[in-house]
Amino acid sequence: MCGVGLFGHITNSSIKNLTIEKADISGVAGVGGIAGCLMTVSGERTFSSIINCVVKDSKIEGIEDGFSIGGIAGIIDMYTHGAVIDCKSVGNEIKAMYNAGGIVGGGSVYSHTSIEMCTNESTVTTSYAGAGGIIGVADTISVSACSNSGEVNGATQYISGNSNLMARGVGGIWGGAGVSNLTGCINAGEAKGFEGVGGIVGSTRLATSADGG
């Protein structure tokens, strides 16, 4: 089931001025402190936003093969333009097998993600690919005036030579992205991983198969 958070799914909606503290939130896909999944149900592009929200001192994690886990939002679904503005993730423990971010876990293919003036002070960990202080991975993304001071740990369970498990993309701001724009961001957190590791951006080449496709 995709979509676990204070709000499981939102469509064409705006959430503002909320604070969550000392929560324990878990699920398999699309898990976030405020909203699990920003989604479109009509097949037409819609816009949803999360503004001026704070999640702190909480545990937000993916269970089993959990993916797209974020401090504020879990996943931006196909055809959705999702915006996260002026939000903070503070003192949280955010974990996934794939794709975890201090603010947003991941953006699906064809989605458009905008993150502005957000701060992460939480620890982000993935067992394999896609860990970022602000966002794990995304298709089309714009990040501006954001900062990260949380530790970002990717590929913690990866064993070199196992070609069936991707372990690429760990970054202080984002782990990986396709079409992307990055403006005025600061990372002061440590980023650790196996392949494609950067203080700001981990990788712009994210494989979806073992042969690099």
Side-chain angles (χ1 to χ4, degrees):
M1 180 78 180
C2 178
V4 180
L6 178 63
F7 298 89
H9 303 82
I10 63 171
T11 302
N12 248 5
S13 303
S14 183
I15 300 172
K16 300 179 180 180
N17 309 325
L18 293 178
T19 297
I20 292 178
E21 187 172 1
K22 297 180 180 178
D24 192 340
I25 305 169
S26 63
V28 175
V31 181
I34 300 296
C37 182
L38 281 62
M39 65 181 297
T40 296
V41 294
S42 63
E44 299 179 0
R45 188 168 292 279
T46 59
F47 178 80
S48 290
S49 61
I50 302 175
I51 302 170
N52 191 34
C53 291
V54 179
V55 178
K56 58 183 180 179
D57 300 330
S58 297
K59 186 176 182 180
I60 304 165
E61 64 178 344
I63 57 176
E64 300 173 358
D65 296 334
F67 65 94
S68 294
I69 315 297
I72 300 297
I75 190 168
I76 312 297
D77 199 8
M78 292 177 66
Y79 307 119
T80 299
H81 181 179
V84 182
I85 302 169
D86 197 22
C87 292
K88 294 181 180 180
S89 173
V90 181
N92 301 310
E93 187 178 339
I94 301 164
K95 293 183 177 181
M97 182 167 284
Y98 298 94
N99 306 349
I103 301 297
V104 177
S108 301
V109 176
Y110 307 125
S111 66
H112 184 186
T113 304
S114 300
I115 306 176
E116 303 173 16
M117 299 180 293
C118 290
T119 301
N120 177 58
E121 299 173 9
S122 301
T123 300
V124 177
T125 304
T126 60
S127 299
Y128 301 107
I134 298 299
I135 183 169
V137 300
D139 187 5
T140 301
I141 184 171
S142 175
V143 179
S144 60
C146 291
S147 65
N148 172 64
S149 59
E151 186 174 294
V152 183
N153 302 298
T156 60
Q157 301 298 314
Y158 184 80
I159 300 173
S160 178
N162 187 345
S163 61
N164 294 319
L165 295 170
M166 295 296 98
R168 182 178 296 121
V170 179
I173 299 300
W174 69 56
V179 179
S180 50
N181 182 66
L182 179 68
T183 307
C185 294
I186 297 172
N187 175 49
E190 184 177 10
K192 297 183 291 184
F194 175 74
E195 183 179 63
V197 181
I200 298 293
V201 174
S203 177
T204 57
R205 179 181 179 271
L206 288 182
T208 56
S209 62
D211 63 1

